[in-house]
């Protein structure tokens, strides 16, 4: 089955209507196609995973590089793709709107806008400015047809300002500004998750599970979360295996790190028949 961009976007929106689904984060074409083969219903890009694959730190890629990455991932899979669009590659609402229009043109089904500034001294935008940026993103999406989902992100816990009350106030404001889905990466406890879900209901909430957790998907669904993403965790897991194997060779002259390596024939079989093969 080959879905059109419009069908992908409609299917992505319907996933947010009920239940709870996992939105895993590939970092390149191969990982995207593998995740699609496992039966996931949608994918999300990861700014960190993409940056590391290009030898850069998270947040260091240009808008043009990220847009090219989005186009590549969208073209590589029949699944809807949610864009980790960082802070919209602009500080002001006009610039955010311009960036969002460019992201929409890549074919993504959803995109997130963060309220982080990148300034350690003032890591979060003032809430009024953050809301104006979300409204600009909403307007850009509506002008393009309104079928791309907008995710509003409160970066408190990632930006060194772990204030749950402030994060909730921001998420409520982003919901009123037109965000379709709300996201506070870094919350982990049942109490934090339940508070965020209740605060923005009935709008859906995205939960980040970026490390081992006592919570299962059943637990997370029971808390009212609509979707779960893993950020750069899959990329970090891949890097972890690579780094252990490489260090074993460099430091000990041993090749034990290859013990859990995927078989070449399995990988060849996985990608045989892929577009461009």
């Amino acid at each position: 089955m080959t879905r059109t961009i419009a069908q992908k976007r409609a299917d992505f929106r319907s996933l947010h209507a009920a239940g709870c689904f996992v939105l895993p984060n590939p970092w390149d074409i191969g990982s995207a196609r593998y995740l699609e083969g496992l039966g996931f219903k949608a994918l999300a890009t990861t700014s960190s995973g993409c940056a590391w694959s290009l030898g850069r730190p998270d947040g260091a890629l240009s808008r043009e590089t990220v847009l090219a990455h989005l186009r590549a991932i969208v073209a590589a899979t029949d699944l809807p793709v949610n864009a980790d669009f960082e802070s919209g590659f602009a500080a002001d609402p006009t610039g955010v709107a311009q960036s969002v229009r460019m992201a929409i043109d890549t074919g993504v089904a959803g995109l997130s806008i963060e309220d982080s500034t990148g300034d350690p001294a003032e890591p979060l935008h003032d809430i009024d400015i953050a809301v104006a940026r979300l409204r600009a993103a909403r307007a850009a999406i509506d002008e393009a047809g309104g079928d791309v989902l907008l995710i509003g992100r409160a970066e408190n816990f990632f930006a060194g300002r772990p204030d749950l009350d402030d994060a909730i106030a921001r998420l409520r404001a982003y919901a009123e500004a037109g965000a379709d889905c709300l996201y506070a990466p870094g919350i982990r406890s049942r109490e934090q998750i339940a508070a965020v879900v209740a605060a923005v209901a009935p709008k859906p909430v995205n939960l980040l599970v970026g490390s081992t957790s006592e919570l299962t998907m059943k637990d997370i669904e029971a808390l009212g979360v609509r979707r779960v993403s893993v950020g750069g965790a899959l990329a970090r897991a891949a890097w972890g295996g690579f780094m252990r194997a490489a260090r074993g060779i460099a430091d000990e002259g041993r090749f034990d790190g290859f013990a859990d390596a995927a078989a070449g024939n399995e990988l060849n079989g996985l990608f045989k028949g892929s577009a461009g093969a």
Side-chain angles (χ1 to χ4, degrees):
M1 175 183 178
T2 301
R3 287 183 278 188
T4 65
I5 295 299
Q7 288 170 330
K8 289 181 182 181
R9 289 172 174 170
D11 291 345
F12 192 51
R13 185 171 291 275
S14 70
L15 286 174
H16 293 72
C20 185
F21 68 100
V22 181
L23 191 65
N25 303 71
W27 61 94
D28 62 8
I29 290 173
S31 57
R33 288 179 175 161
Y34 180 71
L35 291 170
E36 179 178 12
L38 291 179
F40 289 104
K41 297 178 180 180
L43 304 175
T45 62
T46 160
S47 63
S48 59
C50 176
W52 299 330
S53 73
L54 297 173
R56 303 296 300 280
D58 190 16
L61 299 184
S62 68
R63 181 174 67 182
E64 290 69 26
T65 299
V66 171
L67 291 170
H69 177 67
L70 295 179
R71 285 190 290 269
I73 297 298
V74 168
T77 176
D78 199 38
L79 298 180
V81 174
N82 190 99
D84 177 351
F85 207 50
E86 304 180 51
S87 61
F89 299 92
D92 62 290
T94 300
V96 170
Q98 180 187 53
S99 294
V100 167
R101 286 191 288 270
M102 292 178 177
I104 292 170
D105 288 343
T106 68
V108 295
L111 60 88
S112 59
I113 298 293
E114 303 170 5
D115 56 9
S116 55
T117 65
D119 179 1
E122 296 290 340
L124 297 174
H125 284 290
D126 179 84
I127 192 166
D128 291 338
I129 295 174
V131 166
R133 285 159 41 83
L134 256 294
R135 284 180 177 153
R138 176 78 268 163
I141 290 172
D142 291 344
E143 289 168 6
D147 54 350
V148 173
L149 262 71
L150 174 63
I151 295 83
R153 289 179 50 147
E155 297 294 297
N156 298 67
F157 287 79
F158 270 13
R161 299 289 189 273
D163 183 333
L164 183 62
D165 290 339
D166 184 64
I168 285 175
R170 287 171 176 272
L171 293 179
R172 283 175 168 161
Y174 302 161
E176 292 177 2
D180 299 297
C181 180
L182 290 311
Y183 186 11
I187 62 171
R188 299 185 65 176
S189 72
R190 294 172 187 266
E191 293 76 18
Q192 290 173 332
I193 297 166
V196 167
V197 169
V200 302
K203 291 200 173 182
V205 168
N206 185 100
L207 177 67
L208 173 68
V209 181
S211 60
T212 56
S213 174
E214 65 173 13
L215 298 176
T216 65
M217 279 299 296
K218 184 177 180 180
D219 297 329
I220 292 168
E221 182 172 9
L223 288 167
V225 171
R226 186 72 73 229
R227 66 184 218 181
V228 177
S229 57
V230 300
L234 285 171
R236 289 189 289 106
W239 273 100
F242 166 75
M243 291 165 73
R244 284 189 294 274
R247 285 170 177 163
I249 299 169
D251 297 341
E252 303 174 25
R254 298 181 62 87
F255 303 92
D256 301 344
F258 296 159
D260 296 323
N265 287 340
E266 180 182 5
L267 292 170
N268 288 335
L270 172 67
F271 297 124
K272 186 176 182 179
S274 295

